[in-house]
Amino acid sequence: MRKFLDSLYLASGWTAAFFIGAICTLVVAQVCLNLIDRVSGLVTGTAIGLTIPSYADFTGFFLAAASFLALAHTLRQGAHIRVTLLISHLPEPIARVLEFWCILVAAAISIFFSWYTAILVKESYEFHDLSPGMIAIPLWIPQTAMLIGLIILSIALIDEFIGLLHGRPPSYHSKEQEVSGE
């Protein structure tokens, strides 16, 4: 099970990286088209009007997908911004209880958001909601990436909580110590 979960988190992280690459590709392509259009305007006196239809919408959708799909992998790697100043100065038993509480609350919030995002995706699908751009995209498609990211984050938080129950330190602690040089 551990290998499957770690593979899930890694796949989610790589998928997020793919979407970041897609954003870069779209933006560079649009900049190149703008340059060609500008040169054409200078040479011929008339711009061609080259553009990628709805590229701003697509990059926004890709950013949302990348952000949500990266959450679980980032958590497991200890790369989320966390305030450990309080926990690091508490006695170990109290710090452990606070860690349990934080993970449990985070998992509950993540599950709550996952549930309501699933309802949002379902309603967008049922009502045929479309993006307002030049290319109308069914909104349930980008919302599904957000939902998948939230579900995987919920799984990662539950995984961390179960690990704490079994006496293991959270996966992100070892990564934080590597960064801080401890």
Side-chain angles (χ1 to χ4, degrees):
M1 185 66 153
R2 171 84 276 130
K3 190 173 183 177
F4 169 76
L5 289 174
D6 288 341
S7 296
L8 176 66
Y9 308 142
L10 185 61
S12 184
W14 277 109
T15 306
F18 166 79
F19 280 110
I20 293 294
I23 291 169
C24 292
T25 302
L26 271 176
V27 169
V28 167
Q30 184 59 52
V31 167
C32 289
L33 291 176
N34 289 345
L35 287 172
I36 293 168
D37 207 37
R38 179 74 176 146
V39 169
S40 170
L42 292 173
V43 172
T44 66
T46 308
I48 301 170
L50 298 175
T51 188
I52 298 171
S54 295
Y55 86 97
D57 292 341
F58 286 117
T59 56
F61 296 152
F62 293 168
L63 179 61
S67 299
F68 282 90
L69 288 167
L71 289 172
H73 181 66
T74 307
L75 172 74
R76 297 288 296 178
Q77 295 301 312
H80 278 246
I81 297 172
R82 293 177 10 105
V83 180
T84 56
L85 183 63
L86 176 64
I87 291 177
S88 65
H89 287 82
L90 291 174
E92 180 62 31
I94 295 173
R96 189 148 175 82
V97 168
L98 191 56
E99 194 81 56
F100 269 101
W101 182 83
C102 289
I103 294 292
L104 186 62
V105 168
I109 291 170
S110 182
I111 291 167
F112 176 81
F113 282 140
S114 297
W115 176 258
Y116 280 96
T117 302
I119 292 170
L120 175 69
V121 171
K122 179 179 175 276
E123 288 177 353
S124 292
Y125 181 79
E126 288 174 351
F127 294 114
H128 306 289
D129 288 341
L130 299 173
S131 66
M134 290 173 72
I135 299 176
I137 303 295
L139 286 178
W140 67 267
I141 296 171
Q143 290 170 348
T144 299
M146 187 172 87
L147 174 61
I148 291 168
L150 283 169
I151 290 170
I152 295 172
L153 176 64
S154 299
I155 292 168
L157 289 164
I158 293 167
D159 183 17
E160 290 294 340
F161 187 76
I162 291 170
L164 285 173
L165 287 176
H166 287 116
R168 291 188 304 267
S171 64
Y172 48 81
H173 275 200
S174 62
K175 306 295 182 188
E176 287 174 349
Q177 291 167 352
E178 288 174 15
V179 170
S180 67
E182 293 176 13

